[in-house]
Amino acid sequence: MLTDPISRIEELRRVIRQHEYQYYVLDNPLISDAEFDALMAELNALESQYPHLITPDSPTQRVGGEVLDKFNTINHRYPLLSLDNAFSFADLAQFNQRVLRLVNQAEYLTELKIDGVSVVVVYENGVFLHAATRGDGLVGEDVSANIRTIKAIPLRLKSAVPRLEVRGEVYMPKREFARINQEKEEKGERVFANPRNAAAGSIRQLNPQVTASRFLSAFFYDVIYAEGVALTSQQEMLDFMHEQGLPVNPEYRLCPDIQAVYAYCQELAEKRHDLPYEIDGMVVKLNSLAARGELGQTAKSPRWAVAYKFPPEEKETRVVDIVVNVGRTGVIAPTAILEPVLLAGTTVSRASMHNFDLVEEKDIRIGDTVLVHKAGDIIPEIIRSFPEKRSGAEVKVKPPDKCPACDSQVVRPAGEVAYRCANINCPARLKESLIFFASRDAMDIEGMGPAVIEQLVERGLVRRVEDIYSLSKEQLMGLERMGSKSAAKLLQAINESKKQPLSRLLTALGIRHLGPKTARILSRHYSSLDQYYHLSEAELQQIPEIGAKIAESVVSFFAEPRNRETVEKLKAAGLNTVEEKQFQGPLPLLGKSFVLTGLLATMTRSQATQLIEALGGRVSSSVSKKTDYVVVGEDPGSKYDKAVQLGITLLNENEFAALIEEHQQLFAK
Ligand code: IVH
């Protein structure tokens, strides 16, 4: 007998919530990722079969598809205060004296001061209602859509408290900060200065998909309002939030007097570098809420709490050299070699300078005396140089003209801070080039993943991208964990990939900014690879979807002789170099812009997008005056309102299907 879908859905949600809590809050997963994914997949499948059963607190509802136009505002119930700072134990002693003037006995609860972004989250009847930033303390921004994506923050509490408003800190763990900055460096983007900026940047941007792609977490430390719940101390607040399934930092201590506070602060000053997130101090709070009432607050901060700030960990040292590295994606980045110094628990002897703009801006020269710290408590970084300490023998460095790994031309793609090696076969980036070349969106060679590519390159079997097309079965069989059967299969997949359309080959070449979608558009206009050698930026920019950045990188890719050679060899290996024209004549929806909103019943968003694109139309994520049609599904978002406001033609799902069909028929003629 089949279980009825309602109870199975509820059961799945309950189990998934519990596992999210185990994984994201307790850091103690009880099942494997694959098992968790299977539960989510089952819930997703049931919910798409029974869409009327979807509720906003379902674990599937963390990321909606909509990009926002702007944030609305939310008025805070009470002004959100900030804290006065103490920079020494003497400052703390003074704070303690002030407290003891008004209360007889001061028991403190000392917490970590998490270096993140302050947020307020409101639950109604136990369900996530909204979330706001601190803003000016009175009015914040409604960042609900972004906050919902943070898995440590429950969409449903353990009990249905009529209304609960809590304040906490959203933060980015140190490792995630390092990962995102590495990614930014590789993309030629500016890096985040510290995890706090990274967290703020991730919360205060309009696309929830971006927030979801970054691993953020949170700790809650204050109950602003709890309807029907009597709480008398900070300890009780923390316990209550913990019981409700909210993440509460376990590193706090109840201190009977200020001496105990000093001891705990000292302890943490040493332990802080071992924590997976950054703290910039400790927060000392009077535990009793009644005692807090006695002390009151000023306009800006409570008199019953203080932030003890750790002294910044910075050291002076000297730049011995500035070397240039080629990263795995071809980014050419300067690194300073330093006279070793002990910094935040480790010896530091090099500091990445991310890009040459930063070297220039901070005016860092070989031989300079510099001040260093660790960004996000892990990445050694030069804060500044001391020009007044120069002898005159210091040497400025410039970006190289030629790649230090392969001597090819170095280019600086428009809109990026990075300099890059333009050669797809540069030994420094060959593995990445190959991984990308074989990947699903590109040539889609099944079985040729990073592990296989690693071995092919390490063993010298592949020195240039085109070499994969001359691999033999024997060579493949020599690789680890590759039997005769899998070697034959891989060889077949390699051969099959020769038939891929030009758009995939263009994508596979890893031309900066040219993603699969733009490659499809491009290959519709220039359907043979030979044409690309002679294209000019101006010509390319005639195509509405092709901007200056893409035009420039397409031209510079084909200008590099080593790349042309690879293209010629790929042709010689028998790769297809044309895009079959699906249609004759001009595309009927050319120049028409569509926006999709809400859930479509008969197709997914990506299917709808494909239909539109195949007829020459384009799909964009936000509604503007230039939008021609807005396709409205079930439960449309703010894009619908905007479309109505701007008077844009609305299509329901049937009308959309009819429009597509009509144009397809037009076309078949
Ligand atoms: S208590 C009235 N506790 O530090 C309550 N703040 O200026 C004020 N912060 O804006 C905040 N960890 O963003 C408190 N355990 C903690 C905290 C904490 C980080 C942040 C918060 C606040 C700033 C203090």
Side-chain angles (χ1 to χ4, degrees), residues 173-178 273 278 346 374-380:
K174 291 174 187 171
R175 278 185 49 193
E176 177 71 354
F177 168 71
H273 305 305
E278 191 170 20
T346 62
K374 281 187 184 161
D377 215 26
I378 46 174
I379 304 169

Side-chain angles (χ1 to χ4, degrees), residues 79-85 111-119 134 167-169 219-222 234 280 282-283 285 301-302 304-305 307:
L80 292 188
L81 304 177
S82 61
L83 297 172
D84 281 342
N85 292 326
E111 295 172 356
L112 307 189
K113 188 167 185 300
I114 310 294
D115 205 9
V117 191
S118 200
V119 291
R134 179 170 177 274
R167 178 172 175 186
E169 201 81 354
F219 287 123
F220 290 91
Y221 50 72
D222 194 32
Q234 180 70 16
D280 60 339
M282 307 289 283
V283 182
K285 300 173 177 176
S301 49
W304 45 263

